[in-house]
Amino acid sequence: MKVKVSRKAHFNAAHRLYRKDWDDAKNNLVFGKCNNPNYHGHNYELVVSVTGEIDPETGFVIDMKILKDLIKSEIEDALDHKNLNVEVPEFKTLNPTAENIVIVIYNKLLPHIDSNKELEVVLYETPRNFVTYNG
Ligand code: NI
């Protein structure tokens, strides 16, 4: 029997969506307000889920404390209160869209999850806009 275990987390971060190889008109057309040259912030909400068999000894799929600490060390410490474009190496050359951020988060967490378990990350950029990645 497989069970999906989920933990919510959150971080605040600033970003700007644009392409250097496009002029201002095209960047504004495609990225709108998210192309503000002075950056802008989002309150990102995160749901990290791990699916797997229940360990018969502990009754856990994954210890929630371990998952909590993992999200703190790998995601919150790396992204919270950061300017994603300027301060986070993964976005030096990658547009920090919700789609790209969720993949970066997934890739940071995956090496720490047992290979017999499945990882899924849901990232809310606003309460109404969210993206999902599970590899
Ligand atoms: Ni934005």
Side-chain angles (χ1 to χ4, degrees), residues 15 34 40 42:
H15 75 168
C34 276
H40 62 278
H42 289 282

Side-chain angles (χ1 to χ4, degrees), residues 58-135:
T58 61
F60 295 156
V61 171
I62 182 171
D63 185 331
M64 281 287 192
K65 171 81 166 64
I66 290 172
L67 187 57
K68 175 189 172 194
D69 291 347
L70 190 59
I71 295 168
K72 166 85 170 71
S73 63
E74 295 299 315
I75 309 306
E76 293 172 7
D77 288 354
L79 304 181
D80 191 33
H81 286 76
K82 295 290 171 69
N83 179 318
L84 299 179
N85 302 72
V86 174
E87 295 177 278
V88 179
E90 285 85 348
F91 300 111
K92 285 272 188 260
T93 57
L94 181 68
N95 228 356
T97 60
E99 292 88 331
N100 284 330
I101 297 169
V102 80
I103 292 173
V104 165
I105 290 171
Y106 178 95
N107 288 337
K108 281 175 172 288
L109 294 173
L110 189 64
H112 305 279
I113 302 296
D114 289 348
S115 57
N116 62 349
K117 298 183 172 72
E118 294 147 42
L119 175 65
E120 179 185 274
V121 180
V122 180
L123 178 70
Y124 286 77
E125 191 169 72
T126 74
R128 292 170 190 273
N129 296 343
F130 60 98
V131 295
T132 303
Y133 187 63
N134 56 24

Side-chain angles (χ1 to χ4, degrees), residues 25-43:
K26 181 150 187 191
N27 273 304
N28 277 326
L29 184 69
V30 173
F31 297 119
K33 285 183 180 173
C34 276
N35 175 43
N36 179 350
N38 294 318
Y39 306 95
H40 62 278
H42 289 282
N43 295 316

